[in-house]
Amino acid sequence: MENPITTPNGKGKSNSTNTIPAADIDFGKVAVDVAAKWTTTPSISLVWTTASAFSTQVSEYNIALSKRNQSGGNRPQITNKLKTLDATIDESLAYVKGYLLDKYKKESAPSYYPAFGIEHKKNKYVFPIDRNKRSAALQQMIDALVTHGLQDKDYGEAFWTDIKTQYDNLLNEAVTADGEVSNHVSNKNMLKTALTKTMNALIQSIKSNYPNTYKAELRAWGFQKEKY
């Protein structure tokens, strides 16, 4: 078969006989050309759908693709801000350890670390790497600073409360962004599957109606492999 159905995630196998592009953006462009040609070619018809319905789906697909790309474009910025804040947290932890060392001396200070959200990992005392656990550890830090009378230090309650507020806001933004991307991807893939089915049917209809000139006709409909 000359026009195999491509996968909806845009990562399907491509070869020289593919008439429908796999890449999402190329797919959307071809679908627009096909929709325009079908609208002015009433001689080609399908029993189960129409040119108008196809045009609507094409528009919805490209909108979903645009929203997916826009949402996905915001995620790296959030990730970068979280990494920067993680570095600040890790660097600032040394000051709290110093406070505990001064207050409880070298032999006893480590026994207080768990109360401050500090874990023992690979011969080091650190904050959890998992971000949800790290958020919880930040609250432990704030509470413990107050409990142990260290809240007024430079790296005391005010400092860590500000850090936690920033951290939790970024975590919420990340969850929201990921959810939006997932929804847009799901919608885009569903529409791509439906559009692919229709375009494959149109290709077969064109071949049936133009047995001797179908290659030129397919080009006129926008199925031009050299474009993608």
Side-chain angles (χ1 to χ4, degrees):
M1 183 174 177
E2 190 176 5
N3 51 292
I5 295 177
T6 56
T7 57
N9 61 12
K11 297 181 180 179
K13 258 184 189 177
S14 177
N15 57 55
S16 61
T17 63
N18 278 346
T19 308
I20 301 173
D24 287 339
I25 293 177
D26 291 336
F27 181 92
K29 290 178 179 178
V30 170
V32 168
D33 291 339
V34 172
K37 178 64 175 175
W38 194 10
T39 299
T40 60
T41 314
S43 58
I44 299 296
S45 64
L46 299 175
V47 173
W48 44 275
T49 191
T50 65
S52 177
F54 180 77
S55 293
T56 298
Q57 283 188 323
V58 171
S59 178
E60 291 173 347
Y61 169 83
N62 282 310
I63 290 173
L65 178 59
S66 177
K67 288 182 177 180
R68 180 262 174 272
N69 290 338
Q70 184 177 8
S71 297
N74 294 332
R75 187 58 166 89
Q77 301 168 33
I78 298 171
T79 300
N80 187 59
K81 290 178 181 178
L82 279 168
K83 287 181 178 178
T84 300
L85 204 52
D86 277 332
T88 298
I89 290 169
D90 293 337
E91 291 170 3
S92 303
L93 194 58
Y95 293 97
V96 176
K97 290 178 182 177
Y99 299 153
L100 293 174
L101 183 63
D102 290 340
K103 188 176 181 68
Y104 296 112
K105 307 310 175 187
K106 183 177 180 180
E107 294 75 14
S108 300
S111 66
Y112 292 91
Y113 288 173
F116 287 75
I118 302 170
E119 297 181 341
H120 186 255
K121 295 285 185 180
K122 296 181 179 179
N123 299 320
K124 292 182 179 180
Y125 289 98
V126 297
F127 254 15
I129 295 175
D130 178 84
R131 288 199 164 121
N132 289 322
K133 290 181 179 179
R134 178 162 283 212
S135 174
L138 286 170
Q139 187 59 56
Q140 284 182 268
M141 170 67 74
I142 295 166
D143 294 340
L145 285 165
V146 175
T147 299
H148 292 268
L150 302 171
Q151 66 270 23
D152 295 327
K153 296 287 189 179
D154 290 341
Y155 291 85
E157 181 184 10
F159 174 83
W160 290 100
T161 297
D162 181 58
I163 289 288
K164 179 170 172 56
T165 298
Q166 293 182 57
Y167 204 79
D168 288 350
N169 286 341
L170 287 171
L171 285 181
N172 288 333
E173 287 180 26
V175 170
T176 299
D178 290 345
E180 288 178 352
V181 169
S182 179
N183 287 336
H184 293 320
V185 167
S186 177
N187 189 32
K188 182 264 298 181
N189 287 348
M190 179 182 67
L191 288 164
K192 189 172 186 179
T193 298
L195 290 171
T196 299
K197 177 182 176 181
T198 301
M199 284 196 282
N200 273 308
L202 287 171
I203 289 169
Q204 294 307 315
S205 181
I206 291 168
K207 287 182 176 181
S208 298
N209 281 279
Y210 302 93
N212 297 320
T213 60
Y214 72 87
K215 289 184 179 180
E217 194 65 25
L218 287 174
R219 289 173 62 85
W221 278 67
F223 296 110
Q224 300 180 50
K225 286 178 288 186
E226 64 270 22
K227 284 190 175 182
Y228 46 84

